[in-house]
Amino acid sequence: MIRSLGALLLLGFLAACDPAADVTRLSQGADTIDLPSGAAPAFGQMVRRCGMDVTRDAAKIGRFPDTRQGVTLYDSDPQSTRMRPFFLTGFTDGCPRQFMAALVTTGTPGAHEFVRYQATPASVPYSPTDTAYEVIKRATCGVGTGKPCGKRLSRLENQATFIIAYQRFATNETWAEFLIHNRNLIASSLEQ
């Protein structure tokens, strides 16, 4: 209940603000945690690994979205099904990011809209990534909360992607979701 109330209050506050300024505000401080070398982040946490060359110790999986605004995903052990480090490069500050997962998938804004607006009951509260997506969508597409992006969706899909991390390779009751927009982590949340 508190999570949904907070999301509704944030959406109401942001509705009165400038969309471009809202996106800038979202991108400041979402992933400013630095851990000492050798320390692993908690599940659902994304940390900076400045100075680390992840290309040496991990396999490149792909770029998401596949544009100059995308980030590149690396897996430290692609043959494994256990929880292990994953890395992202291409952020505006030049520092790689690390998070822990057994399985990682990616999602587009179009897929997110389908799940959020059509497949998810309206009673399911907005998560921090849902709320942040609404701000980005409004700035790019000019549409309100709960409305699909429409004809500007391809533009939004060139700027944003969702990275979804799972603790186990099989069934998961909880997963982590990271929203990346224009090479910045905008929001993250643990989902159920």
Side-chain angles (χ1 to χ4, degrees):
M1 177 67 169
I2 291 174
R3 182 171 118 175
S4 62
L5 179 60
L8 289 173
L9 290 174
L10 178 61
L11 283 173
F13 169 75
L14 293 176
C17 297
D18 172 39
D22 295 340
V23 173
T24 301
R25 233 185 328 269
L26 282 172
S27 67
Q28 296 170 344
D31 59 346
T32 56
I33 298 169
D34 290 298
L35 287 183
S37 181
F43 178 74
Q45 182 181 44
M46 187 177 285
V47 299
R48 292 189 315 175
R49 292 295 192 187
C50 296
M52 183 178 199
D53 180 9
V54 301
T55 62
R56 184 182 51 162
D57 299 324
K60 180 179 175 179
I61 303 301
R63 189 166 182 81
F64 307 98
D66 190 18
T67 66
R68 65 182 178 87
Q69 294 300 330
V71 293
T72 304
L73 177 65
Y74 292 85
D75 185 341
S76 66
D77 189 359
Q79 304 304 315
S80 178
T81 58
R82 66 175 173 74
M83 186 116 85
R84 60 197 181 276
F86 281 82
F87 301 95
L88 291 167
T89 62
F91 287 88
T92 55
D93 66 2
C95 292
R97 302 307 195 267
Q98 179 186 358
F99 61 95
M100 302 297 289
L103 175 67
V104 174
T105 63
T106 61
T108 64
H112 174 78
E113 288 185 7
F114 175 80
V115 171
R116 182 72 239 184
Y117 305 148
Q118 295 178 22
T120 302
S123 61
V124 174
Y126 271 56
S127 70
T129 50
D130 291 328
T131 304
Y133 178 75
E134 293 296 334
V135 173
I136 292 165
K137 183 190 65 176
R138 188 181 73 225
T140 303
C141 309
V143 297
T145 301
K147 306 282 188 239
C149 180
K151 62 185 175 186
R152 294 185 184 164
L153 182 61
S154 63
R155 179 177 173 203
L156 186 57
E157 289 192 337
N158 285 331
Q159 301 170 351
T161 195
F162 290 86
I163 306 289
I164 301 98
Y166 299 94
Q167 287 182 296
R168 289 181 292 283
F169 202 76
T171 59
N172 290 272
E173 293 179 6
T174 304
W175 61 92
E177 189 173 76
F178 305 102
L179 174 57
I180 301 188
H181 178 258
N182 289 337
R183 299 173 42 223
N184 290 288
L185 176 66
I186 299 298
S188 63
S189 57
L190 287 175
E191 306 280 345
Q192 292 185 7

